[in-house]
């Protein structure tokens, strides 16, 4: 194609050089453990509080990559991380069933709540259950902001709509495709309803006019699971270290620390596994 | 190091590295492009100009497919390291460097080429001489490249993973803090980023002014 | 030294030069005499290897690497006069010390020692001409090509430069000078090759004695 252009050998040298430099930049320290988790988990500050303790007692550094639940599991599936910590039970079970992960261990739970404007135009307060509350919102056509990003929250929301026998659509149903904080802020701005995890809500307390209108329904329990990526699928994941993390976080010590984590004086996560099946 | 300091440090080191690599590869390439004629040269230049507007998220996506474990460059274990951001930013900025270098060298008086050649300059010496004659245009290219890279967020996010203290850059940190509704830290970082952008811009204007007079000379 | 056979140079379809036969002799001065547009620069560029003939052959008895052309409008690189003068020698690997010596040497011969540390952009046209010649001579060429080297110089400088050119030829070098002045050609003791409208002036197929 290019007749007089001397590209071959020179180009090869440069590409090799680039890759070597990039690799060197990345390979300076012993490879850390990579944990994929959801943005809400990371933003709650729990991991920032827990991980230094883990590193202190085991010497293992942990790199946290916080993305949506869907993406976190995809990273696990691709072997780009060593373990995943998410709150999306159905997807987690599927993950293990398909052989991407070794086994799912319960770590902690928090719960979701339905929040909305104080005036509660759709009558969520008196709906009785989370699914009926959503049905009420759909009937009233009140604005509802959805995560829309296959996150744990979004999956739970879809399960609740499904339980109500509805498929939400229309101008009132806003699919944001953003983080929990962004969605809460948006719902606050638009005086809309939304489903949120209590942890993020607590973190934004004081900045929002939204009120908790529906809580405590077992369908709103939000359990977290940790799964090590299957080493037979991806032989170079750090499986031994991943198992040590799982041991630690499910140990009495790890569980105690989870329960002891406070934000604004409130407990965000509960260390026990929920007493009964929590899937929506 | 505080979170802020770490983000600034990561941003600057990563972008500087990518800029340096871009210069090493792009300046000779741009020079070559200015000096040689070949079939399809117009097409190559048109393509490069199109690549100037590469969206960072597209580069991030392609970079992820290349660098992930299953990807062709997976064995390098670059993903979610600063090296991955360098890699992605290099790809993003290479067209910028090549196009600028091409323009700078092509803008040097034709007589410079003839003079260098008749005095005995081979291809490498000729390239070096022309780049040197176009030095302000070249420096402007480098400054513009750095400015573009230090402010991008798509590649840093997708290839770096926004890992605290490791691959969290000013831009990804701002995105994070903003998404958490934390205006304070976001503004602090934004201030630093803006200061860097202004500084780069000032340098760029000075250099381009010099480059203007060097082309006219 | 150099033989041209059936050489034609055209650009954009326009015929610039047509030389059926020409031989430049070694060890002498040859002057290309003609008006502006006669083809002197075109011929010099072909001799310098900067352009290729559209058709025909140029046979050289010495390698192209030892041929240096001074352009009609000299281009000086950014930097000092001294740096310009040693450009060629530095390419061939001379050390800084040797370079300094060469620069001083050439500058003395052309009377431009005070200019050595001057920024090359701060020179008059005449000064630039001298620097360009010094720079060419520093390469120790076997064939020196000069395109109107004394244009714009005052009379004393013209004579000084011509003296340098004569000295170069006396030292065994070969020189081809483009000039529009037959008097200059005579002062240089050169064999005259006359060009007119891109061709050798009628009835002159030249082979120097």
């Amino acid at each position: 194609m290019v007749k007089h252009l001397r590209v071959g050998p020179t180009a090869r040298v440069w590409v090799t050089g680039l890759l070597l430099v990039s690799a060197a930049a990345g390979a300076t320290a012993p490879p850390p453990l990579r944990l994929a988790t959801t943005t809400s988990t990371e933003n709650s500050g729990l991991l920032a509080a827990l991980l230094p303790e883990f590193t202190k007692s085991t010497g293992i550094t942990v790199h946290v990559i916080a993305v949506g639940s869907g993406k976190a599991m995809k990273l696990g599936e691709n072997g780009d991380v060593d373990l995943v910590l998410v709150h999306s039970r159905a997807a987690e079970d599927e993950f293990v069933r398909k052989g991407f992960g070794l086994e799912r261990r319960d770590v902690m739970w928090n719960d979701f709540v339905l929040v909305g404007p104080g005036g509660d135009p759709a009558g969520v307060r008196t709906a009785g259950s989370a699914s009926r509350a959503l049905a009420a919102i759909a009937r009233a056509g009140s604005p509802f902001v959805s995560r829309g990003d296959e996150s744990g929250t979004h999956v739970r929301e879809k399960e609740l709509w499904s339980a109500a026998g509805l498929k939400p659509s229309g101008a009132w149903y806003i699919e944001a495709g953003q983080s929990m904080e962004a969605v809460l802020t948006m719902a606050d701005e638009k005086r809309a309803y939304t489903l949120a995890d209590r942890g993020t809500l607590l973190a934004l307390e004081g900045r929002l006019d939204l009120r908790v209108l529906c809580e405590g329904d077992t369908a709103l329990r939000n359990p977290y699971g940790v799964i090590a990526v299957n080493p037979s699928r991806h032989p170079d994941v750090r499986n031994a270290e991943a198992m040590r993390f799982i041991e630690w976080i499910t140990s009495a010590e790890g569980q105690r620390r989870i329960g002891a984590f406070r934000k604004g004086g409130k407990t965000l996560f509960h260390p026990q596994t929920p007493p009964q099946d929590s899937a929506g | 190091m505080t979170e802020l300091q770490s983000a600034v440090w990561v941003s600057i080191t990563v972008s500087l590295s990518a800029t340096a690599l871009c210069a090493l590869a792009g300046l000779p390439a741009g020079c070559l492009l200015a000096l040689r004629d070949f079939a399809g040269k117009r097409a190559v230049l048109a393509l490069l100009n199109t690549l100037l507007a590469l969206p960072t998220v597209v580069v991030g996506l392609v970079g992820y497919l290349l660098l992930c474990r299953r990807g062709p460059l997976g064995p390098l274990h670059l993903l979610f390291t600063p090296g991955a951001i360098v890699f992605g930013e290099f790809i993003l900025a290479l067209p910028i460097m090549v196009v600028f270098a091409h323009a700078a060298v092509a803008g040097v008086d034709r007589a410079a080429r003839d003079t260098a050649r008749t005095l005995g300059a081979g291809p490498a010496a000729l390239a070096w001489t022309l780049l040197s004659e176009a030095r302000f245009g070249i420096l402007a290219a480098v400054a513009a490249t750095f400015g573009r890279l230090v402010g991008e967020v798509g590649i840093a996010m997708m290839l770096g993973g926004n890992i605290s203290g490791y691959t969290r850059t000013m831009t990804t940190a701002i995105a994070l803090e903003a998404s958490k509704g934390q205006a304070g830290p976001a503004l602090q970082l934004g201030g630093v980023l803006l200061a860097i952008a202004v500084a780069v811009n000032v340098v760029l204007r000075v250099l381009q002014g010099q480059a203007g007079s060097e082309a006219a000379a | 030294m150099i033989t041209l056979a059936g050489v034609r140079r055209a650009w954009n379809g326009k015929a610039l030069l047509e030389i059926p036969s020409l031989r430049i002799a070694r060890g002498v001065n040859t002057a290309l005499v003609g008006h502006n547009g006669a083809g002197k620069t075109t011929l010099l560029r072909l001799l310098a290897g900067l352009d290729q003939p559209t058709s025909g052959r140029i046979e050289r008895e010495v390698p192209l690497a030892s041929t240096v052309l001074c352009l009609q409008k000299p281009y000086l690189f950014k930097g000092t006069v001294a740096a310009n003068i040693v450009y060629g020698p530095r390419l061939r690997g001379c050390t800084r010390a040797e370079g300094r010596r060469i620069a001083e040497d050439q500058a003395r011969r052309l009377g431009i020692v005070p200019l050595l540390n001057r920024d090359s952009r701060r020179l008059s046209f005449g000064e630039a001409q001298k620097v360009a010649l010094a720079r060419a001579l520093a390469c120790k060429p076997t064939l020196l090509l000069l395109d109107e080297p004394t244009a714009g110089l005052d009379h004393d400088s013209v004579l000084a430069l011509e003296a340098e050119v004569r000295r170069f030829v006396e030292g065994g070098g070969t020189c081809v000078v483009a000039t529009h002045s037959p008097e200059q050609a005579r002062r240089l003791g050169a064999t005259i090759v006359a060009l007119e409208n891109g061709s050798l002036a009628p009835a002159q197929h030249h082979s120097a004695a």
Side-chain angles (χ1 to χ4, degrees):
Chain A
M1 174 187 86
V2 291
K3 279 194 277 205
H4 309 293
L5 204 54
R6 231 187 31 190
V7 157
T10 326
R12 265 179 260 137
V13 169
W14 290 125
V15 169
T16 314
L18 165 71
L19 292 176
L20 284 175
V21 170
S22 299
T28 40
L33 192 60
R34 286 181 174 168
L35 169 70
T37 189
T38 65
T39 46
S40 52
T41 316
E42 163 80 334
N43 289 351
S44 68
L46 173 71
L47 293 174
L50 281 186
L51 292 178
E53 299 304 321
F54 172 70
T55 305
K56 226 185 285 176
S57 79
T58 63
I60 302 171
T61 318
V62 182
H63 280 174
V64 175
I65 293 141
V67 286
S69 240
K71 177 98 194 264
M73 317 233 14
K74 204 61 182 168
L75 289 177
E77 187 185 317
N78 290 341
D80 289 323
V81 296
D82 307 305
L83 68 172
V84 300
L85 172 68
V86 292
H87 45 106
S88 195
R89 187 61 195 264
E92 292 163 35
D93 290 337
E94 174 98 354
F95 189 78
V96 173
R97 206 176 43 77
K98 284 192 167 157
F100 299 136
L102 283 184
E103 77 168 304
R104 180 199 174 278
R105 299 285 299 277
D106 279 310
V107 177
M108 60 203 184
W109 61 273
N110 63 5
D111 57 335
F112 292 111
V113 294
L114 266 174
V115 298
D120 190 14
V124 163
R125 264 195 202 95
T126 50
S129 80
S131 287
R132 280 204 285 272
L134 286 187
I137 293 172
R139 247 193 328 270
S142 301
F144 181 92
V145 183
S146 164
R147 287 288 298 275
D149 60 354
E150 300 303 322
S151 58
T153 311
H154 185 220
V155 168
R156 177 58 55 87
E157 182 212 316
K158 288 197 286 191
E159 286 168 0
L160 292 170
W161 286 116
S162 181
L166 292 170
K167 251 193 140 121
S169 72
W172 59 271
Y173 184 68
I174 302 158
E175 298 186 80
Q178 293 195 65
S179 68
M180 194 71 254
E181 293 85 354
V183 163
L184 277 168
T185 311
M186 194 187 291
D188 192 47
E189 291 286 316
K190 292 178 180 293
R191 307 177 64 67
Y193 293 90
T194 191
L195 182 72
D197 65 283
R198 200 186 286 274
T200 312
L201 187 66
L202 284 172
L204 292 182
E205 190 152 78
R207 277 189 266 158
L208 304 172
D209 285 331
L210 298 168
R211 300 268 172 275
V212 175
L213 300 172
C214 179
E215 60 185 318
D217 188 343
T218 51
L220 291 175
R221 283 267 175 97
N222 184 30
Y224 283 69
V226 65
I227 313 172
V229 169
N230 190 349
S232 38
R233 283 228 175 203
H234 299 283
D236 48 352
V237 293
R238 299 189 76 198
N239 184 250
E241 289 79 0
M243 298 313 291
R244 288 197 69 186
F245 179 82
I246 295 179
E247 268 165 40
W248 185 86
I249 203 170
T250 53
S251 71
E253 163 75 2
Q255 294 283 293
R256 188 187 61 76
R257 287 190 182 275
I258 289 175
F261 178 69
R262 296 268 188 284
K263 210 159 176 190
K266 305 246 177 70
T267 308
L268 288 191
F269 298 95
H270 304 267
Q272 305 92 339
T273 63
Q276 64 263 55
D277 172 43
S278 63
Chain B
M1 220 185 238
T2 66
E3 284 265 356
L4 174 76
Q5 289 169 330
S6 167
V8 174
W9 176 252
V10 172
S11 273
I12 293 186
T13 50
V14 159
S15 298
L16 272 180
S17 308
T19 304
L21 287 173
C22 256
L24 283 176
L27 295 181
C31 204
L32 209 60
L33 214 53
L35 294 180
R36 303 280 180 106
D37 259 317
F38 52 90
K41 178 167 171 173
R42 281 248 204 97
V44 171
L45 280 172
L47 176 66
L48 282 171
N49 271 284
T50 320
L51 292 178
L52 285 182
L54 261 184
T56 63
V57 282
V58 170
V59 178
L61 186 61
V62 172
Y64 174 79
L65 294 173
L66 288 174
L67 294 179
C68 70
R69 283 276 158 86
R70 292 175 172 178
L73 299 178
L76 291 174
H77 295 187
L78 274 182
L79 192 62
F80 303 143
T81 69
I85 309 180
V86 171
F87 177 81
E89 290 190 347
F90 171 83
I91 294 176
L92 180 74
L94 191 60
I96 302 177
M97 193 70 79
V98 174
V99 168
F100 264 74
H102 170 264
V105 171
V108 174
D109 194 336
R110 182 83 208 213
R113 237 182 268 193
D114 291 336
T115 306
R117 283 174 63 202
T118 193
L119 291 170
L126 177 64
W128 181 257
T129 300
L130 291 178
L131 288 171
S132 167
E133 293 298 293
R135 63 188 65 161
F136 290 115
I138 299 299
L139 287 174
V142 173
T145 301
F146 178 75
R148 174 90 174 91
L149 292 181
V150 84
E152 76 82 29
V153 65
I155 292 168
M157 191 68 89
M158 295 179 81
L159 299 184
N162 198 18
I163 299 171
S164 171
Y166 187 53
T167 56
R168 189 164 293 172
T169 62
M170 282 188 280
T171 50
T172 60
I174 291 174
L176 178 62
E177 296 301 322
S179 82
K180 293 201 286 190
Q182 305 270 40
L187 283 174
Q188 264 192 304
L189 283 163
V192 177
L193 192 55
L194 202 59
I196 294 179
V198 168
V200 168
N201 239 283
V202 166
V203 167
L204 207 57
R205 283 173 158 275
V206 168
L207 290 173
Q208 283 174 330
Q210 301 274 44
S213 55
E214 96 190 335
Chain C
M1 182 65 159
I2 293 197
T3 310
L4 284 80
V7 165
R8 244 189 110 249
R9 169 84 180 150
W11 186 246
N12 284 345
K14 189 168 158 239
L16 297 173
L17 190 69
E18 196 149 341
I19 309 260
S21 155
L22 177 63
R23 179 165 159 68
I24 307 287
R26 187 193 275 263
V28 296
N29 229 325
T30 304
L32 302 178
V33 180
H35 298 300
N36 290 336
K40 308 191 294 292
T41 300
T42 309
L43 178 52
L44 283 179
R45 287 181 65 94
L46 287 174
L47 295 175
L50 287 177
D51 293 328
Q52 299 305 314
T54 314
S55 56
R57 251 179 24 251
I58 299 181
E59 273 161 21
R60 301 166 194 281
E61 290 160 29
V62 287
L64 192 51
S66 61
T67 302
V68 178
L69 167 68
C70 280
L71 302 176
Q72 194 168 352
K73 182 166 176 274
Y75 181 92
L76 297 184
F77 301 118
K78 287 185 180 164
T80 61
V81 163
N84 268 274
I85 295 178
V86 301
Y87 181 83
R90 287 306 297 271
L91 283 179
R92 292 162 183 83
C94 86
T95 66
R96 292 220 166 179
E98 283 167 6
R100 241 191 319 267
R101 197 186 41 77
I102 292 173
E104 281 162 7
D105 201 39
Q106 288 298 336
R108 219 174 298 122
R109 293 191 192 199
L110 285 160
I112 49 170
V113 173
L115 298 179
L116 274 175
N117 290 325
R118 181 94 65 91
D119 186 320
S120 67
R121 285 170 291 183
R122 302 198 193 301
L123 298 175
S124 68
F125 185 73
E127 289 167 334
Q129 296 272 56
K130 293 184 193 174
V131 172
L133 181 58
R135 183 174 60 183
L137 289 172
C139 296
K140 297 209 184 324
T142 48
L143 175 60
L144 181 65
L145 307 167
L146 305 173
D147 200 344
E148 313 245 10
T150 58
L153 291 183
D154 63 77
H155 191 62
D156 287 335
S157 300
V158 171
L159 296 179
L161 226 130
E162 287 173 0
E164 260 324 290
V165 173
R166 274 199 310 270
R167 195 175 318 158
F168 172 75
V169 174
E170 280 155 24
T174 305
C175 188
V176 179
V177 180
T179 176
H180 56 260
S181 158
E183 290 82 48
Q184 180 167 68
R186 254 172 302 206
R187 285 197 301 271
L188 289 172
T191 312
I192 295 185
V193 171
L195 282 175
E196 205 180 291
N197 288 327
S199 305
L200 297 169
Q204 285 177 22
H205 293 281
H206 275 267
S207 184

Short mmCIF file of all heavy atoms in Angstrom, two decimals, chain A residues 156-187:
data_model
loop_
_atom_site.label_atom_id
_atom_site.label_comp_id
_atom_site.label_asym_id
_atom_site.label_seq_id
_atom_site.Cartn_x
_atom_site.Cartn_y
_atom_site.Cartn_z
N ARG A 156 -33.06 -5.72 41.83
CA ARG A 156 -34.11 -5.86 42.84
C ARG A 156 -35.35 -5.11 42.43
O ARG A 156 -36.47 -5.59 42.59
CB ARG A 156 -33.61 -5.35 44.20
CG ARG A 156 -34.67 -5.39 45.31
CD ARG A 156 -35.20 -6.81 45.52
NE ARG A 156 -34.11 -7.73 45.78
CZ ARG A 156 -33.60 -7.97 46.98
NH1 ARG A 156 -34.09 -7.37 48.04
NH2 ARG A 156 -32.62 -8.83 47.12
N GLU A 157 -35.16 -3.91 41.89
CA GLU A 157 -36.31 -3.12 41.43
C GLU A 157 -37.10 -3.89 40.39
O GLU A 157 -38.34 -3.94 40.44
CB GLU A 157 -35.79 -1.79 40.87
CG GLU A 157 -36.88 -0.84 40.41
CD GLU A 157 -36.43 0.02 39.24
OE1 GLU A 157 -35.28 0.54 39.28
OE2 GLU A 157 -37.20 0.17 38.27
N LYS A 158 -36.38 -4.48 39.44
CA LYS A 158 -37.07 -5.24 38.38
C LYS A 158 -37.83 -6.43 38.97
O LYS A 158 -38.94 -6.74 38.54
CB LYS A 158 -36.06 -5.72 37.33
CG LYS A 158 -35.54 -4.58 36.47
CD LYS A 158 -34.87 -5.06 35.19
CE LYS A 158 -33.51 -5.67 35.44
NZ LYS A 158 -32.77 -5.90 34.17
N GLU A 159 -37.23 -7.07 39.98
CA GLU A 159 -37.91 -8.20 40.61
C GLU A 159 -39.21 -7.74 41.28
O GLU A 159 -40.23 -8.43 41.23
CB GLU A 159 -36.99 -8.84 41.67
CG GLU A 159 -35.87 -9.66 41.04
CD GLU A 159 -34.78 -10.04 42.06
OE1 GLU A 159 -34.92 -9.66 43.24
OE2 GLU A 159 -33.82 -10.70 41.66
N LEU A 160 -39.18 -6.56 41.88
CA LEU A 160 -40.38 -6.05 42.54
C LEU A 160 -41.47 -5.71 41.54
O LEU A 160 -42.64 -5.99 41.76
CB LEU A 160 -40.02 -4.81 43.38
CG LEU A 160 -39.15 -5.09 44.60
CD1 LEU A 160 -38.67 -3.78 45.22
CD2 LEU A 160 -39.89 -5.92 45.63
N TRP A 161 -41.07 -5.10 40.41
CA TRP A 161 -42.07 -4.81 39.37
C TRP A 161 -42.69 -6.11 38.88
O TRP A 161 -43.91 -6.21 38.67
CB TRP A 161 -41.42 -4.11 38.16
CG TRP A 161 -41.05 -2.67 38.36
CD1 TRP A 161 -39.81 -2.14 38.34
CD2 TRP A 161 -41.93 -1.58 38.59
NE1 TRP A 161 -39.84 -0.79 38.54
CE2 TRP A 161 -41.15 -0.41 38.70
CE3 TRP A 161 -43.33 -1.46 38.72
CZ2 TRP A 161 -41.68 0.85 38.94
CZ3 TRP A 161 -43.87 -0.20 38.95
CH2 TRP A 161 -43.06 0.95 39.06
N SER A 162 -41.82 -7.09 38.69
CA SER A 162 -42.28 -8.39 38.21
C SER A 162 -43.26 -9.01 39.18
O SER A 162 -44.28 -9.58 38.79
CB SER A 162 -41.02 -9.24 38.03
OG SER A 162 -41.32 -10.46 37.57
N ALA A 163 -42.95 -8.92 40.46
CA ALA A 163 -43.85 -9.47 41.48
C ALA A 163 -45.19 -8.75 41.46
O ALA A 163 -46.22 -9.33 41.81
CB ALA A 163 -43.20 -9.35 42.86
N ALA A 164 -45.18 -7.47 41.05
CA ALA A 164 -46.43 -6.73 40.96
C ALA A 164 -47.12 -6.97 39.64
O ALA A 164 -48.19 -6.42 39.37
CB ALA A 164 -46.15 -5.23 41.14
N GLY A 165 -46.49 -7.78 38.78
CA GLY A 165 -47.08 -8.11 37.48
C GLY A 165 -47.05 -6.94 36.51
O GLY A 165 -47.90 -6.84 35.64
N LEU A 166 -46.08 -6.05 36.67
CA LEU A 166 -46.05 -4.86 35.81
C LEU A 166 -44.73 -4.74 35.06
O LEU A 166 -43.70 -5.20 35.52
CB LEU A 166 -46.22 -3.59 36.65
CG LEU A 166 -47.56 -3.35 37.32
CD1 LEU A 166 -47.42 -2.19 38.28
CD2 LEU A 166 -48.62 -3.05 36.28
N LYS A 167 -44.82 -4.06 33.93
CA LYS A 167 -43.60 -3.67 33.22
C LYS A 167 -43.64 -2.16 33.11
O LYS A 167 -44.44 -1.61 32.36
CB LYS A 167 -43.62 -4.29 31.81
CG LYS A 167 -42.61 -5.41 31.66
CD LYS A 167 -42.41 -5.78 30.22
CE LYS A 167 -40.94 -6.03 30.03
NZ LYS A 167 -40.31 -7.07 29.65
N PRO A 168 -42.81 -1.48 33.86
CA PRO A 168 -42.94 -0.01 33.91
C PRO A 168 -42.46 0.63 32.61
O PRO A 168 -41.41 0.29 32.08
CB PRO A 168 -42.01 0.39 35.05
CG PRO A 168 -40.98 -0.68 35.09
CD PRO A 168 -41.65 -1.94 34.65
N SER A 169 -43.26 1.56 32.11
CA SER A 169 -42.81 2.33 30.95
C SER A 169 -43.66 3.58 30.87
O SER A 169 -44.77 3.62 31.40
CB SER A 169 -42.93 1.52 29.67
OG SER A 169 -44.27 1.37 29.32
N GLY A 170 -43.14 4.56 30.20
CA GLY A 170 -43.86 5.83 30.09
C GLY A 170 -42.96 6.96 30.52
O GLY A 170 -41.86 6.74 31.03
N ALA A 171 -43.44 8.14 30.35
CA ALA A 171 -42.61 9.31 30.66
C ALA A 171 -42.29 9.40 32.14
O ALA A 171 -41.28 9.97 32.53
CB ALA A 171 -43.32 10.58 30.19
N TRP A 172 -43.13 8.82 32.99
CA TRP A 172 -42.92 8.92 34.44
C TRP A 172 -41.77 8.00 34.91
O TRP A 172 -41.23 8.21 35.98
CB TRP A 172 -44.20 8.55 35.19
CG TRP A 172 -44.68 7.16 34.88
CD1 TRP A 172 -45.52 6.79 33.86
CD2 TRP A 172 -44.30 5.96 35.56
NE1 TRP A 172 -45.70 5.43 33.86
CE2 TRP A 172 -44.96 4.88 34.91
CE3 TRP A 172 -43.49 5.67 36.66
CZ2 TRP A 172 -44.83 3.57 35.31
CZ3 TRP A 172 -43.36 4.34 37.07
CH2 TRP A 172 -44.03 3.29 36.39
N TYR A 173 -41.41 7.01 34.08
CA TYR A 173 -40.39 6.05 34.49
C TYR A 173 -39.04 6.47 33.88
O TYR A 173 -38.83 6.38 32.68
CB TYR A 173 -40.77 4.65 34.01
CG TYR A 173 -39.83 3.57 34.47
CD1 TYR A 173 -39.75 3.22 35.83
CD2 TYR A 173 -39.04 2.87 33.57
CE1 TYR A 173 -38.88 2.21 36.25
CE2 TYR A 173 -38.18 1.86 33.99
CZ TYR A 173 -38.11 1.54 35.33
OH TYR A 173 -37.26 0.54 35.75
N ILE A 174 -38.15 6.96 34.75
CA ILE A 174 -36.91 7.56 34.27
C ILE A 174 -35.74 6.62 34.51
O ILE A 174 -35.40 6.31 35.65
CB ILE A 174 -36.65 8.89 35.02
CG1 ILE A 174 -37.84 9.82 34.81
CG2 ILE A 174 -35.37 9.54 34.56
CD1 ILE A 174 -37.97 10.88 35.87
N GLU A 175 -35.13 6.17 33.43
CA GLU A 175 -33.99 5.24 33.58
C GLU A 175 -32.69 6.03 33.53
O GLU A 175 -32.28 6.49 32.48
CB GLU A 175 -34.04 4.19 32.47
CG GLU A 175 -35.30 3.36 32.56
CD GLU A 175 -35.30 2.22 31.57
OE1 GLU A 175 -34.67 1.20 31.85
OE2 GLU A 175 -35.94 2.37 30.51
N ALA A 176 -32.04 6.17 34.67
CA ALA A 176 -30.93 7.11 34.77
C ALA A 176 -29.58 6.55 34.32
O ALA A 176 -28.78 7.27 33.76
CB ALA A 176 -30.82 7.62 36.20
N GLY A 177 -29.34 5.28 34.54
CA GLY A 177 -28.04 4.72 34.16
C GLY A 177 -26.88 5.29 34.95
O GLY A 177 -25.79 5.46 34.43
N GLN A 178 -27.12 5.60 36.22
CA GLN A 178 -26.04 6.21 37.00
C GLN A 178 -25.96 5.61 38.39
O GLN A 178 -26.71 4.72 38.76
CB GLN A 178 -26.30 7.71 37.13
CG GLN A 178 -26.19 8.42 35.81
CD GLN A 178 -26.10 9.88 36.02
OE1 GLN A 178 -25.14 10.37 36.60
NE2 GLN A 178 -27.11 10.59 35.59
N SER A 179 -25.02 6.15 39.18
CA SER A 179 -24.79 5.62 40.53
C SER A 179 -25.99 5.91 41.43
O SER A 179 -26.84 6.74 41.12
CB SER A 179 -23.56 6.27 41.12
OG SER A 179 -23.84 7.64 41.36
N MET A 180 -26.00 5.24 42.58
CA MET A 180 -27.09 5.42 43.54
C MET A 180 -27.16 6.86 44.01
O MET A 180 -28.25 7.43 44.11
CB MET A 180 -26.86 4.47 44.74
CG MET A 180 -28.07 4.32 45.62
SD MET A 180 -29.40 3.38 44.87
CE MET A 180 -30.57 4.65 44.49
N GLU A 181 -26.03 7.44 44.30
CA GLU A 181 -26.02 8.83 44.77
C GLU A 181 -26.61 9.75 43.71
O GLU A 181 -27.41 10.64 44.02
CB GLU A 181 -24.59 9.30 45.07
CG GLU A 181 -23.95 8.61 46.24
CD GLU A 181 -23.30 7.31 45.84
OE1 GLU A 181 -23.46 6.92 44.65
OE2 GLU A 181 -22.65 6.68 46.67
N ALA A 182 -26.18 9.53 42.45
CA ALA A 182 -26.68 10.39 41.37
C ALA A 182 -28.18 10.22 41.21
O ALA A 182 -28.91 11.19 41.03
CB ALA A 182 -25.97 10.04 40.07
N VAL A 183 -28.65 8.97 41.32
CA VAL A 183 -30.08 8.71 41.17
C VAL A 183 -30.88 9.34 42.31
O VAL A 183 -31.94 9.93 42.10
CB VAL A 183 -30.32 7.18 41.08
CG1 VAL A 183 -31.77 6.84 41.32
CG2 VAL A 183 -29.88 6.67 39.71
N LEU A 184 -30.37 9.24 43.52
CA LEU A 184 -31.06 9.86 44.66
C LEU A 184 -31.14 11.37 44.49
O LEU A 184 -32.16 12.00 44.75
CB LEU A 184 -30.35 9.51 45.98
CG LEU A 184 -30.73 8.16 46.57
CD1 LEU A 184 -29.77 7.78 47.69
CD2 LEU A 184 -32.16 8.19 47.09
N THR A 185 -30.03 11.95 44.06
CA THR A 185 -30.02 13.39 43.83
C THR A 185 -31.03 13.77 42.77
O THR A 185 -31.77 14.75 42.92
CB THR A 185 -28.60 13.84 43.39
OG1 THR A 185 -27.66 13.29 44.29
CG2 THR A 185 -28.51 15.34 43.37
N MET A 186 -31.07 12.96 41.72
CA MET A 186 -32.02 13.24 40.64
C MET A 186 -33.46 13.13 41.14
O MET A 186 -34.31 13.99 40.86
CB MET A 186 -31.78 12.24 39.50
CG MET A 186 -32.47 12.65 38.21
SD MET A 186 -32.34 11.39 36.95
CE MET A 186 -30.62 11.45 36.56
N ALA A 187 -33.73 12.06 41.91
CA ALA A 187 -35.09 11.87 42.43
C ALA A 187 -35.46 13.04 43.33
O ALA A 187 -36.60 13.52 43.32
CB ALA A 187 -35.16 10.56 43.20
#
